Structure formats: structure tokens, C-alpha cells
Amino acid sequence: MTLIVGDRLETLDGWLEVRDRDGLVVRLGPSSEFSYEFDPFGGVISHPAKRPSIVLYGEVFKFRHYVRPLEVMACGKYRTSCWYCPSSFYVRNLDASRDAYYALAGEVPVWEWDEEGRPFDIVTIPEGLKAIIHHDPLQPMHKRYTVEEVSPVAADEWDYISSNFMNPKRWLAPKARQEVVAAG
């Protein structure tokens, strides 16, 4: 399946993996969303209007198999804040005004654009830590986000993320899983 600008995928009670030809892999848990759209500040940082970006929501694990050299991209938006593309992360919505970002392999810079189109940092999360970010859409951009907490990822959270999102066996299609078993 090929996505075009304007497409929106909702997982309902299922699990979904979306890949692109540049090595981006996005895995969505139940009750999550993936949309592909033009955003005035999305896409490639140097040419935002020329490339659509992804908008994610719910329970999301994102990583790249590889990054092309000398390419800078803004890979998407988690409805409430943005991230720096090369970072692998897991994010989930906690409630109507809070999200939890997990830095699993390397640091995760979380940022947004202000009303004049200038980027500003919200928080940079060191590897192995998570940040709880509160957002209030009624506030101006620079006051919209509050980092409530930065703390270590708990052992049970690591177990949940690794078994549900990082374990490659969970993401094999049923037919591919049967072929792997039959070939072994």
C-alpha cells in the first residue's frame, strides 16, 4: 500500500507498522493514528512546503534502519510537539493534556515551531530517561509546553516497550511468520 497526502490510518484495536523507502519505521499500538499531510512547518526543514510530513498520535514507536548522509529531515509531529528525526523513541498519550516521551537509543530532542516559524526546544531527553510533557493549546507557543518530569524508564516500561514494539517476531506478517518457521 502506498500512502498519499491526506491519507489517515487509525489502528482501532489493532497494531500497525508503516515503513518508507528511506528506512523510517513507525509502529502504532491500539487506538493510535498516522496521517500524511502538508504542514507549513513540516517535511524537510530547508524546504517545508515541498514535502509532506507525518502526524502521529496514540502509542507510537519510531526508529530508522539507516539515515542517508547529509540529509536533515523533520520526520513528523506527535500532535503536541515535534522531534528530531534520527532519534529512536517511544511516545504515548497519558491523558488529554499530557504525553510521555521515552529516549530508548540516544537522546531525543523535542521541539516546536513558534508563531513566527522559528524552532524552539521543549526538552532534550537523555537516553534511558522519559519526559512527561504537559500541553495547553490555549497558551502561546513558548508557554504551551511544560516538562512535568524527567525520570528513568522503569524496568516494567522497558519490558512492555521491548516486547510489544521492539521484538521483530511480533511484527512479522502471519504468512511471513509461517514461512520463517517452515524454513527453519
Side-chain angles (χ1 to χ4, degrees), residues 73-131:
M73 296 185 290
C75 284
K77 181 172 179 63
Y78 185 82
R79 257 202 223 163
T80 57
S81 49
C82 297
W83 56 89
Y84 182 70
C85 193
S87 302
S88 295
F89 71 88
Y90 168 77
V91 63
R92 66 187 175 99
N93 178 255
L94 299 175
D95 56 42
S97 63
R98 295 180 315 136
D99 301 313
Y101 285 79
Y102 296 73
L104 306 173
E107 66 180 20
V108 174
V110 181
W111 53 277
E112 182 59 279
W113 300 97
D114 67 16
E115 292 83 354
E116 279 77 46
R118 293 181 306 246
F120 67 94
D121 293 335
I122 297 169
V123 64
T124 297
I125 309 161
E127 181 176 333
L129 300 182
K130 69 177 178 184

Side-chain angles (χ1 to χ4, degrees), residues 7-80:
D7 281 348
R8 181 178 168 178
L9 305 171
E10 295 182 41
T11 60
L12 303 175
D13 61 351
W15 299 76
L16 177 69
E17 180 178 272
V18 179
R19 294 172 173 253
D20 75 5
R21 67 179 174 261
D22 297 323
L24 176 67
V25 179
V26 177
R27 293 177 174 167
L28 303 166
S31 302
S32 299
E33 300 170 11
F34 179 106
S35 62
Y36 191 52
E37 55 193 65
F38 281 111
D39 182 302
F41 301 118
V44 177
I45 292 172
S46 60
H47 306 289
K50 295 183 180 180
R51 191 166 185 178
S53 57
I54 57 175
V55 177
L56 305 166
Y57 186 72
E59 195 173 9
V60 179
F61 175 68
K62 180 196 84 74
F63 67 98
R64 276 195 182 276
H65 283 296
Y66 59 88
V67 177
R68 293 190 304 214
L70 303 175
E71 183 169 15
V72 178
M73 296 185 290
C75 284
K77 181 172 179 63
Y78 185 82
R79 257 202 223 163
T80 57

Side-chain angles (χ1 to χ4, degrees), residues 147-162:
V147 179
E148 291 184 348
E149 167 189 333
V150 176
S151 60
V153 178
D156 61 332
E157 292 173 309
W158 275 110
D159 291 344
Y160 175 82
I161 296 165
S162 62

